[in-house]
Amino acid sequence: MTPLITPQDIPYLPRGVRLQDDRIRGIRVLQAPERAMQLDQIGDAILAELDGARSLDQITRDLAARYDAPVEEIAGDVRDFLTGLIERRMVFLRDIT
């Protein structure tokens, strides 16, 4: 089975999907039309890196350096998290061809 996201892909939040602070509950939320998802610190850290310019590999390396963690471990966690959001159509991949 072909993975939904490869290290060269550039993930981004599509129009209408955004990170937002829920000040009442004191949490971060990923909002999309008709749905919302509460984020933990890891999910928030990953999504904050999506700028539409950097590849999954670049994002993974930056997070690994920031949190002093093994790149291989971070790569799997980031890929799995983003794959779930791609399946829900809350993260898109930039066409680089």
Side-chain angles (χ1 to χ4, degrees):
M1 178 179 203
T2 305
L4 292 179
I5 187 167
T6 66
Q8 296 76 33
D9 288 328
I10 299 172
Y12 69 97
L13 297 177
R15 183 178 176 170
V17 177
R18 67 184 183 276
L19 288 171
Q20 188 166 1
D21 288 318
D22 182 333
R23 289 181 226 146
I24 294 171
R25 293 180 190 96
I27 59 173
R28 290 280 282 176
V29 177
L30 180 63
Q31 284 196 313
E34 311 269 334
R35 58 200 152 151
M37 173 195 232
Q38 181 178 338
L39 299 171
D40 61 13
Q41 290 179 329
I42 295 169
D44 186 29
I46 293 169
L47 291 176
E49 295 295 316
L50 303 189
D51 60 9
R54 291 180 296 146
S55 69
L56 176 64
D57 186 55
Q58 292 168 315
I59 291 167
T60 299
R61 290 182 185 285
D62 289 348
L63 286 168
R66 181 177 308 136
Y67 294 103
D68 192 29
V71 173
E72 302 79 25
E73 184 177 321
I74 295 286
D77 292 344
V78 172
R79 183 188 62 246
D80 292 346
F81 179 72
L82 292 178
T83 295
L85 293 177
I86 291 166
E87 290 171 342
R88 292 179 182 92
R89 307 218 14 97
M90 295 176 88
V91 167
F92 285 8
L93 300 175
R94 186 153 320 279
D95 184 14
I96 56 173
T97 57

